[in-house]
Amino acid sequence: MLGDVALAVNSADTRYKVGATHAMKWMACQMALIGRMAMHPLLKKDIPIICDDALVDPAFGTGVVKITPAHDANDYVCAQRNGLSTVQVFGKDGKIVNTLDFTEFVGKSRWEARQLVIKHLTAVCAYLGKRDAEESVVSICSRSGDVIEPMLVPQWYVRCGELGRHADNLVSSGDVDIIPTRQKVIWHNWLAGITDWCVSRQLWWGHRIPMYQIRWSSTLDRPVLWVAAESEHQAREKALKVLSAAERDAVASMGEEDTVCTVTQDKDVLDTWFSAGLLPLTTFNDPNADGSGALAPHTGSNGKTALSAILETGQDILFFWVARMTMLCTYFAKIPPFSTVLLHPMVRDAQGRKMSKSLGNIIDPMDIIDGAELSKLEDTLKRGHLSKEELKNSTKELRRLYPQGFQRFGADALRFALIMCTQQTQQINLSLDNVKASSHFCNKLWNAFRFVHMHAGKLEMSSESRIAVKNGQFEAWMDGLDRAHMTVFDRALLSRLDVMMKVYKRAMETHRFAVAAEAVRDFVQRDLCDRYIEVCKPALFGSMEGRKFQELWQRHARDGAKDDMSVMQSGWQTQNSTCLFANDTPAEDETEA
């Protein structure tokens, strides 16, 4: 209250217009209040009653907001709009600053001063008591638990108007593509209303801001100067260049060349996202072959030139990181940092809730990979910064969700489960059941590999085919296969493989990774393992599991075999086929096991 400089109302509020009848005692007269002055009950000075529709909600409380610009962000913006002054009440130590306006409160803590304010208001009959306040948001420090008090301190800002417009144009023109496309609208809306970016942080770690304060000696009547420089020496050189010839002569005549100014670097560090936004300029700092030192551009899949082809990241940092990289890189390097931005959904728990320590639903990837007992999960909670009540609730929820802890699934299962879940739009509701299903698939794939590896020696392959397989040239290998000795199962498998590879390729080119993973999974499980390998086993192992293979034989087209013929009496199919594998698509019931 000591820092209040005005009272604000909404222009639509009829209580404060001409002719309004006010029921409250202190407004029991007909008059217009907007534009008049009010007496501050503590400071005994007039403060204006202003109109600010952007700040004041007439439906909230009395519809009157007291303006404290030095200690409230919204009030500060209001003061800027209305040309109001600012009055600092307390310093960084939380105590009332030394000022002539409220000498009786100087040196008091915030809490002592508030009680003293009530005492003074009561003495002048201005305190009418207290009532249950409307719900409001109070910022609490997560480390100390103390109330955070906003206050004005010198900060460094980046002017973002032009940078934001240029970054927005890159997406609207197609130079930078954002996937999914719905994020383009969000990108535009944010950059269209972007404000200046405060990059000062009062922390002990980070890139120290390269700004130096220059304080001149008494010989020169000059104000404090700030310069940007890479070192203190460079800052001093820049500072001396601003002196006039007469000032340099005066300094030289008095022998004060080395003491004419003191140079001090700002103690603040850069915002983490500013440092992270410089990533393309450092990571892709690949000089051209001509030795010019310029950044080497690349051409992306959309045909546009950028420092890199694609950036894959989470949609929650589209503005914190992606937009900042785009603004800084195009300003300094005159080229976009990437041609495509691929945003993945955010990972949440099985119920779709955001993972947090207070809920006890956080899943550590390493616990899924290596496995973890419930006791280990509880120990992790105890090491967190939770209050006793939060720890109690979190432990209860953890025991409900994962009573047996996590079994060991491995990294491949977790990766495949996450890829399969990317088909979910806004978020990935990660369930251990999904990871378990992926683990079963990985196990099936491994067993299929072992089966093929054990019996691959029985295949008669030419040296050219072996080289093609070794080099991953599967199309060349397929072209070299002898179709004349293939069974219907061989042709069906290769046909399905061709179809799967086409689906996989289209999906990967369009960044639909879930579709690509699903195509691979279905081919491996259904076509390779459940059909082809099962049909191969009778020929490899004789009568083992004869009944099962007999059923498989009876259900597929037997290519002229007698109705009562057993699978044990049949050899491999030898029907000649002249069709290409890409077009050789047997009917579903022809190979259905």
Side-chain angles (χ1 to χ4, degrees):
M1 189 171 182
L2 296 176
D4 293 344
V5 297
L7 298 176
V9 298
N10 191 292
S11 61
D13 197 333
T14 58
R15 291 172 292 182
Y16 308 115
K17 290 185 176 181
V18 175
T21 301
H22 306 285
M24 289 177 284
K25 293 181 179 179
W26 60 286
M27 293 182 179
C29 60
Q30 295 182 353
M31 59 181 175
L33 294 180
I34 298 175
R36 298 175 69 91
M37 304 297 287
M39 174 66 72
H40 196 298
L42 289 177
L43 306 182
K44 304 301 182 182
K45 66 179 183 180
D46 292 338
I47 58 175
I49 301 175
I50 64 173
C51 174
D52 195 303
D53 294 350
L55 177 68
V56 184
D57 179 6
F60 187 83
T62 62
V64 181
V65 177
K66 60 189 190 67
I67 308 302
T68 317
H71 300 286
D72 185 277
N74 294 325
D75 289 1
Y76 178 76
V77 176
C78 173
Q80 295 292 100
R81 286 194 297 263
N82 294 277
L84 302 174
S85 61
T86 60
V87 178
Q88 184 179 354
V89 178
F90 47 79
K92 294 182 179 180
D93 58 357
K95 295 182 179 181
I96 306 301
V97 297
N98 187 10
T99 175
L100 297 178
D101 289 330
F102 32 82
T103 55
E104 299 176 61
F105 301 91
V106 172
K108 304 291 184 182
S109 69
R110 294 172 291 170
W111 318 113
E112 293 174 331
R114 283 167 184 162
Q115 295 302 317
L116 194 57
V117 164
I118 295 176
K119 181 179 178 180
H120 278 66
L121 290 175
T122 303
V124 296
C125 300
Y127 184 67
L128 302 180
K130 64 179 181 179
R131 62 179 180 179
D132 293 336
E134 301 284 350
E135 290 187 0
S136 59
V137 178
V138 178
S139 300
I140 304 295
C141 178
S142 60
R143 293 178 180 269
S144 66
D146 201 358
V147 175
I148 298 175
E149 303 283 0
M151 61 183 300
L152 291 175
V153 294
Q155 307 273 44
W156 292 105
Y157 286 79
V158 174
R159 190 175 291 110
C160 293
E162 182 180 350
L163 298 179
R165 285 191 295 271
H166 190 52
D168 188 22
N169 292 336
L170 287 175
V171 172
S172 60
S173 65
D175 290 334
V176 175
D177 190 21
I178 298 180
I179 303 172
T181 56
R182 63 177 178 274
Q183 295 289 342
K184 293 182 180 180
V185 177
I186 303 174
W187 173 276
H188 169 72
N189 292 339
W190 187 79
L191 289 177
I194 192 172
T195 58
D196 292 346
W197 174 17
C198 177
V199 294
S200 292
R201 294 295 181 270
Q202 292 75 44
L203 301 173
W204 287 104
W205 56 88
H207 291 149
R208 195 168 175 182
I209 294 179
M211 296 298 299
Y212 292 82
Q213 184 187 65
I214 310 298
R215 288 186 175 275
W216 304 100
S217 65
S218 57
T219 303
L220 301 175
D221 185 18
R222 275 183 167 271
V224 173
L225 174 69
W226 286 93
V227 297
E230 296 181 1
S231 64
E232 182 177 327
H233 176 72
Q234 187 183 70
R236 183 181 297 274
E237 289 183 340
K238 285 188 173 183
L240 293 177
K241 289 180 180 179
V242 305
L243 298 179
S244 64
E247 289 175 322
R248 284 195 293 269
D249 292 340
V251 170
S253 64
M254 299 185 65
E256 294 184 353
E257 291 88 344
D258 296 331
T259 60
V260 66
C261 63
T262 57
V263 181
T264 306
Q265 186 176 359
D266 196 304
K267 294 182 179 180
D268 289 357
V269 298
L270 288 168
D271 176 17
T272 301
W273 293 115
F274 186 96
S275 298
L278 300 175
L279 178 70
L281 298 170
T282 55
T283 303
F284 304 116
N285 188 10
D286 183 18
N288 290 323
D290 59 5
S292 62
L295 296 175
H298 299 272
T299 302
S301 58
N302 59 357
K304 302 299 183 179
T305 301
L307 288 184
S308 61
I310 186 169
L311 169 73
E312 197 282 337
T313 186
Q315 60 187 18
D316 61 326
I317 54 175
L318 176 63
F319 312 119
F320 292 114
W321 190 37
V322 181
R324 268 67 180 273
M325 280 194 290
T326 305
M327 291 190 296
L328 294 176
C329 188
T330 51
Y331 178 80
F332 289 110
K334 310 303 179 185
I335 186 174
F338 26 71
S339 57
T340 301
V341 178
L342 178 61
L343 303 172
H344 63 246
M346 300 312 301
V347 180
R348 296 178 179 265
D349 68 6
Q351 288 77 41
R353 300 175 302 175
K354 183 178 179 180
M355 294 187 183
S356 67
K357 292 179 180 179
S358 59
L359 290 177
N361 63 344
I362 289 181
I363 298 178
D364 188 336
M366 295 307 299
D367 290 337
I368 296 180
I369 295 172
D370 299 329
E373 297 180 352
L374 180 60
S375 58
K376 180 183 177 183
L377 301 179
E378 291 178 348
D379 289 340
T380 302
L381 278 180
K382 293 177 182 178
R383 290 195 299 269
H385 300 283
L386 299 178
S387 64
K388 292 183 179 180
E389 187 65 24
E390 288 176 330
L391 180 60
K392 179 181 177 181
N393 295 335
S394 300
T395 303
K396 181 180 179 180
E397 181 72 2
L398 186 66
R399 291 172 180 173
R400 185 186 70 83
L401 293 174
Y402 314 112
Q404 305 300 324
F406 299 153
Q407 72 178 80
R408 181 177 180 178
F409 290 111
D412 291 334
L414 177 59
R415 292 189 187 113
F416 197 80
L418 290 173
I419 291 175
M420 289 293 295
C421 289
T422 56
Q423 59 189 335
Q424 303 174 20
T425 54
Q426 296 289 344
Q427 61 190 42
I428 294 176
N429 295 345
L430 182 62
S431 169
L432 290 186
D433 292 337
N434 297 337
V435 183
K436 187 175 182 179
S438 296
S439 177
H440 291 164
F441 166 71
C442 293
N443 186 60
K444 183 180 283 288
L445 181 63
W446 173 249
N447 289 335
F449 167 78
R450 291 184 61 196
F451 177 85
V452 173
H453 188 265
M454 285 190 298
H455 301 287
K458 300 177 183 179
L459 299 177
E460 295 181 1
M461 298 177 61
S462 64
S463 58
E464 292 81 3
S465 296
R466 293 182 183 275
I467 293 175
V469 172
K470 182 178 181 180
N471 295 333
Q473 300 169 343
F474 297 108
E475 292 182 359
W477 170 71
M478 291 177 65
D479 292 338
L481 294 176
D482 185 2
R483 299 184 180 88
H485 295 86
M486 288 186 182
T487 67
V488 66
F489 293 104
D490 297 330
R491 299 197 315 273
L493 180 70
L494 293 174
S495 175
R496 301 286 173 78
L497 176 62
D498 182 79
V499 172
M500 183 273 289
M501 290 301 295
K502 289 179 178 177
V503 173
Y504 177 87
K505 183 178 180 180
R506 287 195 299 269
M508 293 299 289
E509 289 175 347
T510 54
H511 310 294
R512 295 179 299 157
F513 303 124
V515 175
E518 186 177 20
V520 172
R521 183 198 62 186
D522 291 347
F523 173 79
V524 171
Q525 287 185 335
R526 182 184 63 188
D527 299 318
L528 178 61
C529 296
D530 295 346
R531 293 176 178 172
Y532 189 76
I533 290 181
E534 292 299 325
V535 172
C536 289
K537 287 180 180 178
L540 294 171
F541 305 125
S543 60
M544 186 178 68
E545 298 185 358
R547 291 184 180 180
K548 183 176 181 180
F549 296 128
Q550 176 68 24
E551 180 181 354
L552 291 171
W553 167 255
Q554 293 292 344
R555 291 179 60 182
H556 80 76
R558 291 162 293 169
D559 204 19
K562 297 179 180 179
D563 291 340
D564 60 347
M565 181 180 289
S566 168
V567 67
M568 301 303 297
Q569 299 172 280
S570 175
W572 284 105
Q573 301 295 323
T574 59
Q575 177 185 11
N576 291 329
S577 176
T578 58
C579 66
L580 296 174
F581 299 131
N583 300 317
D584 188 8
T585 309
E588 185 68 21
D589 59 355
E590 192 175 10
T591 58
E592 188 70 49

